[in-house]
Amino acid sequence: MTDKPTALPARAHFSSGPCAKRPGWAPENLAIESLGRSHRSKLGKARLKLAIDLTREILNVPSTHRIGIVPASDTGAYEMAMWTMLGARGVTALAWESFGEGWVTDAVKQLKLEPKVHRADYGQLPDLSKVDFTDDVLFTWNGTTSGVRVPDGEWIAADREGLSFADATSAVFAYDIPWDKIDVATFSWQKVLGGEGAHGVLILGPRAVERLESYTPSWPLPKVFRLVSKGKLAEGVFKGETINTPSMLAVEDAIFALEWAKSIGGLEGLKARCTANADALDKIVAERDWLGHLAVDKGIRSKTSVCLTVEGADADFIKKFAGLLEKEGAAYDIAGYRDAPAGLRVWCGATVDTADIEALGPWLDWAYATLKA
Ligand SMILES: Cc1ncc(COP(=O)(O)O)c(C=O)c1O
């Protein structure tokens, strides 16, 4: 029988969203002067703009691309892009896990489009060389539910005629994103920044803006999706004049996370923390023959949402496994996503401390042995 470990991770927060708060997070550390004020006051707009400016600085987003804060988390931002820009030309969609599959479903069932779909099983990527960039192309940079990511942006055509739409929610702040290959990118603060849900961030390149100003979809658009007014881009959205009322508490929380990101060296500092976490988890996997990676190929394996296979485990075993560790305060929310093959998922993004990943190893052994006994 494996003895119960004595040392708990200091922060057992390994959820893949909402993810662990940044080190040093406490509610009393948030700036609250903008709360209880109009988001259109001088102060409110300045705080929203600061969140945008810090995002640009840390992600190295060039001045060619606009950054806006929009409603409804990453889903809101991605749907807004789909609903406002698709339909002008053919659509290709890539799906290798649950969220990519969700965008396909919306393109087909809601927008009544007929996308060419390139699929792959959980743990794999479709053949990216087959993607036709005369189409608009929908894809997920990091598939959070399978732990598979695109290796880089090399496969995205520089001379593409269509637009590239990247759901980058569990990728930004963890990988380099080649912005010249991105026409639309979306993310939510709740992932790699350890921020809150509620708002999405929408990044638009010049060709996306051109599409918005030259094309009107045949379907109606709710007010929260409208980015164009009298044929022109609503530029205010990209300066902090949000479409509707944001949560200033969520905005302050995002600023607090972005300031931390800046203090540790920006994107390079975040990437280094994330890589150290993924390496520490990889070591745990390598040392145990009953644990494996769902994404076998390291070149496409996520460094944020790392998905693990557990020998002989079914959904019920995983539920008990994760429940046992949660009860001990050793690991929260590490059961794989409900649609994914039964397994574990450990968030390795920058807000997690490497020592906590390391402390997880003995607990995994203990849970496995306890359930097998
Ligand atoms: C790849 C991907 N896309 C979309 C979403 C939905 O994000 P949100 O709940 O922030 O809208 C998630 C959430 O886990 C995700 O991982």
Side-chain angles (χ1 to χ4, degrees):
M1 188 64 208
T2 307
D3 286 342
K4 191 162 157 182
T6 47
L8 285 167
R11 294 187 301 145
H13 297 72
F14 302 114
S15 155
S16 291
C19 302
K21 307 302 279 182
R22 56 159 271 191
W25 188 91
E28 58 271 25
N29 292 338
L30 301 180
I32 54 169
E33 292 75 18
S34 68
L35 274 58
R37 297 277 319 266
S38 166
H39 60 295
R40 306 208 190 272
S41 68
K42 211 170 152 196
L43 175 64
K45 276 202 271 196
R47 298 304 284 176
L48 286 153
K49 183 161 183 304
L50 177 61
I52 291 172
D53 291 346
L54 284 168
T55 302
R56 182 180 298 285
E57 184 181 343
I58 292 161
L59 294 180
N60 304 315
V61 177
S63 60
T64 48
H65 286 53
R66 290 167 174 83
I67 304 175
I69 296 169
V70 300
S73 211
D74 180 61
T75 309
Y78 204 77
E79 293 268 350
M80 180 184 240
M82 288 179 68
W83 284 69
T84 53
M85 285 176 256
L86 292 184
R89 55 169 58 235
V91 178
T92 286
L94 278 59
W96 60 86
E97 50 85 61
S98 178
F99 286 103
E101 200 57 62
W103 307 137
V104 172
T105 302
D106 282 7
V108 173
K109 295 220 169 126
Q110 302 300 320
L111 299 179
K112 315 282 184 212
L113 299 169
E114 293 174 1
K116 293 173 208 124
V117 185
H118 298 262
R119 287 193 169 87
D121 282 341
Y122 277 81
Q124 282 157 25
L125 264 190
D127 184 350
L128 300 177
S129 71
K130 299 241 159 69
V131 176
D132 173 7
F133 277 97
T134 58
D135 278 355
D136 289 333
V137 177
L138 307 176
F139 72 101
T140 305
W141 196 284
N142 183 96
T144 319
T145 66
S146 72
V148 170
R149 64 179 165 94
V150 295
D152 50 40
E154 290 299 308
W155 58 282
I156 303 171
D159 61 350
R160 61 196 175 282
E161 290 169 37
L163 302 178
S164 60
F165 291 69
D167 170 359
T169 197
S170 50
V172 280
F173 301 105
Y175 312 131
D176 289 311
I177 306 287
W179 293 107
D180 58 328
K181 297 285 184 78
I182 299 294
D183 299 306
V184 178
T186 65
F187 71 89
S188 163
W189 295 325
Q190 54 112 345
K191 297 279 183 199
V192 188
L193 286 178
E196 295 297 301
H199 300 298
V201 176
L202 175 67
I203 301 182
L204 298 180
R207 298 180 58 247
V209 174
E210 193 181 35
R211 171 75 59 84
L212 284 167
E213 292 186 336
S214 64
Y215 164 73
T216 305
S218 58
W219 45 77
L221 287 177
K223 178 175 174 177
V224 287
F225 278 6
R226 265 176 254 155
L227 287 169
V228 172
S229 169
K230 299 193 183 99
K232 285 280 164 205
L233 185 75
E235 294 281 3
V237 172
F238 304 91
K239 296 181 186 132
E241 294 159 25
T242 49
I243 297 173
N244 64 334
T245 311
S247 158
M248 292 310 291
L249 187 54
V251 171
E252 292 297 349
D253 182 78
I255 291 172
F256 190 60
L258 288 160
E259 284 173 341
W260 167 75
K262 191 173 165 179
S263 77
I264 61 159
L267 184 58
E268 291 309 313
L270 294 168
K271 275 165 44 190
R273 282 180 62 92
C274 178
T275 300
N277 289 340
D279 287 349
L281 185 61
D282 192 30
K283 185 162 178 282
I284 290 172
V285 173
E287 288 166 355
R288 288 155 179 83
D289 55 10
W290 56 272
L291 266 182
H293 283 288
L294 185 56
V296 175
D297 176 356
K298 199 167 178 189
I300 60 166
R301 185 185 300 153
S302 175
K303 294 185 183 190
T304 56
S305 57
V306 184
C307 295
L308 305 179
T309 58
V310 176
E311 196 176 75
D314 59 10
D316 185 51
F317 185 91
I318 292 295
K319 195 172 163 202
K320 288 188 181 129
F321 191 110
L324 204 53
L325 292 177
E326 176 173 344
K327 195 160 151 254
E328 295 293 334
Y332 299 131
D333 314 318
I334 63 165
Y337 194 72
R338 56 180 186 265
D339 299 339
L344 302 174
R345 182 172 60 165
V346 179
W347 185 254
C348 288
T351 56
V352 172
D353 289 314
T354 307
D356 291 338
I357 299 276
E358 287 163 352
L360 186 59
W363 285 99
L364 297 178
D365 293 333
W366 172 76
Y368 188 69
T370 303
L371 288 177
K372 283 280 171 192

